[in-house]
Amino acid sequence: MKKILSLLILTFSAATQAQPADLPEPVKQIQKQGIEIIKPFSAPGGVEGWLGKYQDMGVTLYLTPDKKHVVSGYMYDAQGNNLSEKIINEEIYIPAGREMWKQLTAAPGIKEGSADAKCQVVVFADPFCPYCNKFWHQAQPFIKDKSINTTTLLVGVIRPDSAQYAAAILSAKDPAKVWYEMESSDGKTKPALTSNTPPAVFKQIEHNQQLMTQLGASGTPAIYYLNKDRALQQIVGLPDAKQMADLVACK
């Protein structure tokens, strides 16, 4: 999950960085060392805090009351709670994840399940990915009982002809039916390849692959959902038992 968060911060922080003129002098100096300053925040104990990023990870800076020194690191309370991590998640990673979720759900894909399902799931899948097929089978009982619904965004990354078959599925009169037949037969029932695939279909596949790259997913299936706290969750590869239970519970 840290990988996706570090990638999400790249686009989020670019639009929210504080201007150098607004910064106290010690914060300006640490900015010169490579820390990008995003925004100020109020910290406990009368300390002024600043959010930033370094090497694509969120960092917190704390300005001393005399405004002459700044400390980089985590702040903990008397109970051992990491207050800095909470701020980084709430102010940077979670909002960035929600913005990315808007892009994922705006992308057209193959939908399975009820709109009333408890958890909405987006899956990047290759027509010839065996683990995508296993996840599809895993998901079916939970789709049927309305625990989850899925939107599958097809990509072509496994075989040289993966994109051609993805295009054939998406070009069909009923892509969801063709996808269901291919997955339920474990790949034995394949769509016929055509020579006149609409350019828009290939653009759709290309867009899916760009989104997948943007999210830092290195393979399929790449699975995303917003949990009950509306924080973006990522599972790359076939979910293990705990990951699947968390997904079904939207945890």
Side-chain angles (χ1 to χ4, degrees), residues 22-23 31 36 65 68 75 89 93-94 96 127 136 143 163-164 175 185 190 197 203 205 214 219 228 232 250-251:
D22 301 330
L23 304 177
Q31 185 183 44
E36 295 184 27
K68 294 181 179 179
M75 177 182 283
N89 284 335
Y93 294 146
I94 290 176
W136 183 89
I143 290 173
Q164 289 178 282
S185 70
K190 301 181 183 67
T197 302
K203 285 184 180 179
I205 296 168
Q214 190 176 348
K228 292 178 181 177
L232 186 64
C250 223
K251 185 176 178 181

Side-chain angles (χ1 to χ4, degrees), residues 36 57 75 86 89 106 123 177 181 208 240:
E36 295 184 27
M57 295 301 294
M75 177 182 283
K86 184 175 185 292
N89 284 335
V123 188
K177 181 175 182 291
E181 289 172 349
N208 292 346
D240 59 27

Side-chain angles (χ1 to χ4, degrees), residues 221-233:
I223 304 162
Y224 300 88
Y225 64 97
L226 284 188
N227 66 11
K228 292 178 181 177
D229 296 323
R230 291 184 50 75
L232 186 64
Q233 305 298 302

Side-chain angles (χ1 to χ4, degrees), residues 177-211:
K177 181 175 182 291
V178 175
W179 177 243
Y180 183 92
E181 289 172 349
M182 186 169 182
E183 292 299 272
S184 61
S185 70
D186 298 333
K188 296 181 179 67
T189 302
K190 301 181 183 67
L193 296 181
T194 61
S195 58
N196 58 347
T197 302
V201 170
F202 282 116
K203 285 184 180 179
Q204 181 179 339
I205 296 168
E206 183 180 11
H207 178 64
N208 292 346
Q209 293 186 184
Q210 288 173 347
L211 281 177

Side-chain angles (χ1 to χ4, degrees), residues 5 8-10 12-13 16 38-39 51-53 57-60 86-98:
L5 294 179
L8 288 172
I9 195 176
L10 290 173
F12 182 79
S13 63
T16 56
I38 297 172
K39 64 181 292 187
L51 279 175
K53 79 178 182 76
M57 295 301 294
V59 297
T60 45
K86 184 175 185 292
I87 292 166
I88 291 170
N89 284 335
E90 291 181 352
E91 296 290 337
I92 300 177
Y93 294 146
I94 290 176
R98 290 172 184 166

